[in-house]
Amino acid sequence: MVLAKASVFASLLLLGQASAKGTLPPIVMKGTKFFYQNGTQFFMKGVAYQQDSAAAGEATSSSKYTDPLADATACKRDVPLLAALGTNTIRTYAIDPAQNHDDCMALLDAAGIYVISDLSEPNTSINRETPAWNLDLYKRYTEVIDNLAVYDNVIGFFAGNEVTNNATNTPASAYVKAAVRDTKAYIGTKSRWLGVGYAANDDAAIREEIAHYFNCGNQSQAIDFWGYNIYEWCGSNTFVGSGYAEQVSFFSNYSVPVFFAEYGCNNPGGAAGRIWQETTALYSKDMTDVVSGGIVYMYFQEANDYGLVSVSGNQASTLKDYDTLKTRIAAVKPSSTSMNAYTPTNSPAACPGVSKNWAVLGEELPPTPDAALCECMFNSLTCVPASTVSDKEFGALFNTACRTDGICAGISANTTTGVYGAFSMCSAKQKLAYAMDSYYKSLDEASDACNFGGSGVINKDTKVASTCSSGLASASAVNSVAATATAGTSSGSGAATSSKSFASPLQMQNLLTMGDMAVGLYVAVAMGVGAGMILL
């Protein structure tokens, strides 16, 4: 079917132009459920809406992305089709906070459609192999919040999407949870309630640990909702046979809303073969007390064959699975409760312990990125990198500076012990300067101790502003604890080559061209503080 109903488009456009902010009431959360402000329970009937976004956390072929909410022409084409499908929520994976989204958000609002968006983008995200929560990431996340928080039809955000996807990269979850903590705090000072959650894959080895970890402990640091990217129900199946019954049982005691952040297995038969039995089950009495709906993957038909709609230029044609899904959605009548009649009874989970499948300790998290503190630290240093030093040279310089016990404790991180240096969130250059200066001071500021083969220089204009004193004192105390915790664990520069990740000089060089992320990994290995550290 090719969209030809000009009257539908015209009415949406006129409504959308009435107000950029819109008229939809904000969604609120209570216990394990979402509600409209009038107290009616809200179930997501969603569609993933972004081109070139891979299913189930798979990487795309390009790090570039197209902001789906900045293209008013595309929104005018697509929003009527989303509305006709019965969609009340879309998920976007990356938006450009420098763009204006008024037109698309107004069209969505007029069509009764809410938005939940990931905070990252391909080039600025928490990398599961070399995770960090730093100044650049914090800037990106808060800029997205600032851009979208003005729209009442925004439900919230994902701080990460399948960042930890198996037992080998669980340390990355500590950095995502730090992002949850800090973005929630930022929203609290700027806006109405907007949720911050996590979208997870379904890995049986860590299913319990990761779900409990993001829900446990101090709730100001915990997720507001849990999104599951789940593709267990394929073709013709049953509530029990698909594994859905097991999921509902597991989350029946969860203390925040759970929904499917992606679903829609395309086996067998590709997108055209999808019969959407799982959609009927999702909004049935078997599930609605625990699961608040879901988001179908995806709107656009692409090479991965998950699409509902084929787009060519400005023409959009619905596909077979669109029509089948439309029939399913039209027939569902989820069993609901009113907000006034609902009293939450579930409590947050206990934090998982460190184990062979889980390398993150309790509630200890990486520090909040603080640009002012990092600048204060850098300006106070005597020995710093020369202006001519390139990123590619950082690794060798870290190797030299960090080979002595405790030198780099202030910039290191260990998720299994929960020990994080106060400056571990600073930029790569700032962290290198800290390491070089610490090494210089450890040698009593000997005349050649800041040479580093011509890469170090003496800063003759060190300064500590009065506004820096308190922060630097607090950081010093934190770093003293970190130094004690890592004492005796450094094994010198040779530690870098003892890991399989650094088996040859070529591999080392490749990693060191990756910038800040690689520097974080390099320092972790060079410090030699155990398997949990090496994973960082």
Side-chain angles (χ1 to χ4, degrees), residues 164-404:
T164 289
N165 64 357
N166 60 54
T168 70
N169 49 46
T170 60
S173 285
Y175 296 88
V176 180
K177 193 166 182 179
V180 171
R181 172 200 63 201
D182 294 338
T183 51
K184 284 180 65 170
Y186 185 81
I187 289 169
T189 66
K190 299 281 185 178
S191 172
R192 64 177 172 86
W193 179 85
L194 289 162
V196 180
Y198 179 70
N201 68 318
D202 184 34
D203 186 282
I206 58 170
R207 178 188 297 159
E208 181 174 343
E209 286 87 351
I210 193 169
H212 289 336
Y213 175 71
F214 279 100
N215 179 232
C216 75
N218 185 335
Q219 291 301 285
S220 68
Q221 302 180 1
I223 54 169
D224 294 313
F225 48 73
W226 178 260
Y228 233 151
N229 298 341
I230 187 165
Y231 293 83
E232 290 189 1
W233 191 314
C234 297
S236 181
N237 213 317
T238 65
F239 177 61
V240 174
S242 65
Y244 275 29
E246 183 181 352
Q247 298 291 349
V248 169
S249 176
F250 177 81
F251 284 105
S252 62
N253 294 316
Y254 216 58
S255 69
V256 297
V258 174
F259 60 91
F260 289 176
E262 287 178 8
Y263 80 96
C265 176
N266 66 349
N267 291 318
R274 296 198 284 193
I275 59 177
W276 301 113
Q277 282 184 344
E278 68 269 45
T279 299
T280 299
L282 183 58
Y283 300 99
S284 72
K285 290 183 179 180
D286 286 332
M287 300 187 69
T288 51
D289 191 48
V290 175
V291 182
S292 295
I295 298 172
V296 167
Y297 185 85
M298 63 172 299
Y299 181 85
F300 295 97
Q301 173 68 336
E302 296 181 334
N304 60 9
D305 194 20
Y306 278 92
L308 298 168
V309 175
S310 176
V311 173
S312 178
N314 199 38
Q315 290 291 314
S317 303
T318 61
L319 301 175
K320 183 179 179 180
D321 56 337
Y322 174 100
D323 297 326
T324 307
L325 178 63
K326 181 178 178 179
T327 300
R328 291 278 187 180
I329 289 289
V332 301
K333 295 181 180 178
S335 176
S336 63
T337 186
S338 69
M339 187 161 56
N340 289 339
Y342 168 58
T343 302
T345 57
N346 293 350
S347 300
C351 293
V354 174
S355 67
K356 66 177 183 179
N357 285 340
W358 193 253
V360 186
L361 179 70
E363 294 187 58
E364 301 299 323
L365 296 174
T368 300
D370 186 336
L373 178 62
C374 292
E375 189 68 14
C376 285
M377 176 270 286
F378 186 84
N379 290 337
S380 71
L381 304 178
T382 303
C383 178
V384 297
S387 60
T388 55
V389 174
S390 69
D391 291 354
K392 294 181 179 181
E393 299 174 80
F394 282 11
L397 293 171
F398 273 116
N399 188 41
T400 298
C402 294
R403 61 188 175 187
T404 303

Side-chain angles (χ1 to χ4, degrees), residues 6-67:
S7 60
V8 174
F9 159 72
S11 61
L12 285 175
L13 181 59
L14 288 172
L15 285 170
Q17 288 175 339
S19 169
K21 188 172 184 181
T23 58
L24 279 180
I27 299 300
V28 296
M29 182 189 84
K30 181 180 180 182
T32 63
K33 305 181 190 304
F34 293 114
F35 295 92
Y36 293 99
Q37 284 187 328
N38 68 3
T40 302
Q41 190 172 354
F42 175 80
F43 291 92
M44 289 187 188
K45 297 175 183 176
V47 175
Y49 181 69
Q50 184 142 10
Q51 291 179 286
D52 300 319
S53 57
E58 294 296 324
T60 59
S61 59
S62 173
S63 61
K64 298 180 181 179
Y65 68 96
T66 300
D67 182 343

Side-chain angles (χ1 to χ4, degrees), residues 406-491:
I407 291 294
C408 289
I411 56 173
S412 67
N414 188 324
T415 64
T416 60
T417 63
V419 176
Y420 302 93
F423 302 122
S424 58
M425 46 72 187
C426 296
S427 72
K429 181 178 180 180
Q430 289 167 334
K431 287 188 285 189
L432 177 59
Y434 175 88
M436 293 172 68
D437 189 72
S438 296
Y439 177 82
Y440 173 66
K441 288 182 169 61
S442 74
L443 297 179
D444 298 322
E445 302 185 2
S447 59
D448 60 347
C450 187
N451 185 266
F452 291 93
S455 295
V457 296
I458 297 297
N459 176 18
K460 297 180 179 179
D461 189 30
T462 58
K463 52 189 175 183
V464 179
S466 59
T467 54
C468 293
S469 299
S470 177
L472 289 176
S474 297
S476 179
V478 169
N479 292 340
S480 293
V481 173
T484 300
T486 59
T489 59
S490 178
S491 54

Side-chain angles (χ1 to χ4, degrees), residues 484-502:
T484 300
T486 59
T489 59
S490 178
S491 54
S493 58
T497 56
S498 67
S499 165
K500 292 180 181 179
S501 298
F502 295 91

Side-chain angles (χ1 to χ4, degrees), residues 99-131:
Q99 298 295 315
N100 184 287
H101 300 111
D102 285 353
D103 289 343
C104 284
M105 293 302 295
L107 286 165
L108 291 164
D109 183 278
I113 298 174
Y114 291 86
V115 175
I116 185 166
S117 185
D118 292 44
L119 290 168
S120 62
E121 57 99 346
N123 287 315
T124 313
S125 60
I126 299 173
N127 183 297
R128 66 172 63 102
E129 302 301 336
T130 55

